[in-house]
């Protein structure tokens, strides 16, 4: 892409606060964006070939939304964690194995999408985020859900298409968790904590495609309590 095209995009972004340049084969984060650190609210560089998110990302202190879906990122810089106004972060389809240690400082974050990466566990850093609504960790390599998950504030947690065979009973203590997606994992029925049914806020539990028949779920203690929540929630959305 020529410099004139980039310049035109920068001029538009200066007026709109939105910089969107998707599917252009970019191999690096455009350094010229530095000129707009105080203007930009949204950056979307999805469907490119970017391998490194540079530390300068930390300078975009007004950024609310960052999308880098389908790039080639293997790590994220600690500087990303300075973005205190960021509400949505979309990093699907990269090669991320972990999140920066200070990720819990992204205090405004509401939506986090990390589908199709190489995470092996549910990042503990997420538990410090008080405003999280939706966390998508589907299509990773997560094998177990640890005790720390009980502190997760999310309303929806998507763990579809992982390799989960163990889930901490603490998941039923999540204060706001309403939707839990565990489709296509490696769960035996005995490994599904019954407290999810009998003693949690969860009103939608999606567990198709595991190592048990769905109808067996109905035989578990607490299933009727779960169905009460399920039905009540359905009425709300009807």
């Amino acid at each position: 892409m020529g410099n004139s095209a980039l310049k035109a995009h920068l001029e538009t972004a200066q007026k709109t606060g939105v910089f969107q340049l998707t599917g252009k084969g970019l191999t690096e984060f455009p350094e010229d964006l530095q000129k707009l650190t105080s203007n930009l609210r949204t950056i979307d560089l999805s469907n490119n070939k970017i391998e490194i998110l540079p530390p300068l990302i930390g300078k975009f202190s007004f950024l609310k939304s960052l999308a880098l879906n389908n790039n080639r990122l293997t790590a994220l810089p600690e500087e990303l964690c300075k973005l205190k106004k960021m509400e949505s972060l979309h990093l699907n389809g990269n090669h991320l194995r972990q999140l920066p240690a200070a990720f819990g400082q992204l205090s405004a974050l509401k939506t986090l999408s990390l589908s199709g990466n190489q995470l092996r566990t549910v990042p503990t850093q997420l538990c410090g985020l008080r405003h999280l609504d939706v966390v998508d960790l589907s299509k990773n390599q997560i094998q177990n859900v640890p005790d720390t998950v009980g502190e997760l504030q999310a309303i929806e947690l998507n763990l579809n298409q992982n390799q989960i065979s163990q889930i901490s009973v603490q998941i039923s203590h999540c204060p706001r968790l309403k939707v839990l997606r565990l489709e296509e994992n490696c769960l035996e029925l005995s490994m599904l904590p019954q407290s999810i049914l009998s003693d949690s806020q969860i009103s939608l539990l999606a567990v198709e495609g595991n190592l048990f028949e769905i109808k067996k779920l109905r035989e578990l203690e607490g299933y009727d309590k779960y169905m009460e929540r399920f039905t009540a929630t359905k009425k709300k959305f009807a």
Side-chain angles (χ1 to χ4, degrees):
M1 191 184 66
N3 272 349
S4 54
L6 182 60
K7 203 171 165 205
H9 275 279
L10 288 169
E11 281 171 13
T12 310
Q14 195 166 0
K15 294 181 192 125
T16 61
V18 177
F19 185 82
Q20 188 176 26
L21 202 57
T22 58
K24 294 285 188 243
L26 292 181
T27 52
E28 48 192 51
F29 187 90
E31 290 221 332
D32 286 350
L33 282 184
Q34 283 188 81
K35 299 168 188 163
L36 301 177
T37 47
S38 56
N39 299 65
L40 289 183
R41 303 292 186 271
T42 300
I43 295 177
D44 186 353
L45 294 166
S46 296
N47 304 315
N48 282 295
K49 297 172 183 173
I50 298 168
E51 292 180 17
I52 293 171
L53 186 59
L56 68 89
I57 191 67
K59 295 179 182 171
F60 293 88
S61 43
F62 297 98
L63 201 62
K64 282 195 164 181
S65 171
L66 176 61
L68 285 156
N69 297 324
N70 305 318
N71 275 282
R72 296 177 182 174
L73 300 173
T74 53
L76 300 170
E78 287 289 340
E79 287 79 3
L80 178 70
C81 308
K82 293 179 181 169
L83 303 179
K84 301 284 194 247
K85 288 193 161 59
M86 189 145 68
E87 294 177 9
S88 88
L89 180 57
H90 296 272
L91 297 163
N92 302 327
N94 281 282
H95 308 292
L96 300 169
R97 291 171 184 270
Q98 58 191 39
L99 297 180
F103 198 82
Q105 292 174 12
L106 292 171
S107 48
L109 202 60
K110 291 180 182 173
T111 305
L112 175 63
S113 293
L114 288 161
S115 179
N117 279 281
Q118 293 168 19
L119 299 172
R120 292 182 174 273
T121 182
V122 176
T124 50
Q125 296 95 313
L126 302 186
C127 298
L129 299 168
R130 296 278 164 246
H131 299 288
L132 263 190
D133 289 335
V134 180
V135 180
D136 185 353
L137 300 174
S138 61
K139 299 180 187 171
N140 276 280
Q141 296 160 18
I142 299 169
Q143 292 171 5
N144 68 342
V145 180
D147 288 347
T148 45
V149 77
E151 294 164 42
L152 189 69
Q153 300 285 325
I155 296 169
E156 175 169 345
L157 176 59
N158 186 342
L159 292 165
N160 289 346
Q161 292 178 303
N162 277 283
Q163 298 154 21
I164 297 167
S165 59
Q166 284 187 308
I167 300 180
S168 166
V169 67
Q170 296 295 327
I171 199 161
S172 48
H173 296 164
C174 291
R176 299 168 69 216
L177 191 62
K178 298 274 197 288
V179 179
L180 177 58
R181 302 185 187 279
L182 287 162
E183 294 179 11
E184 294 178 51
N185 277 284
C186 310
L187 282 168
E188 303 271 359
L189 191 57
S190 58
M191 287 295 166
L192 192 69
Q194 290 197 6
S195 54
I196 289 177
L197 299 172
S198 60
D199 192 25
S200 78
Q201 302 289 320
I202 295 166
S203 54
L204 178 63
L205 175 65
V207 287
E208 286 79 5
N210 279 281
L211 307 179
F212 58 88
E213 292 178 49
I214 287 297
K215 63 174 187 242
K216 290 271 192 266
L217 189 66
R218 298 180 196 134
E219 294 162 17
L220 289 186
E221 202 178 324
Y223 186 77
D224 49 345
K225 278 191 169 174
Y226 162 68
M227 280 314 290
E228 281 171 23
R229 295 192 304 273
F230 178 80
T231 313
T233 311
K234 248 181 131 169
K235 278 186 189 142
K236 238 185 252 175
F237 292 122

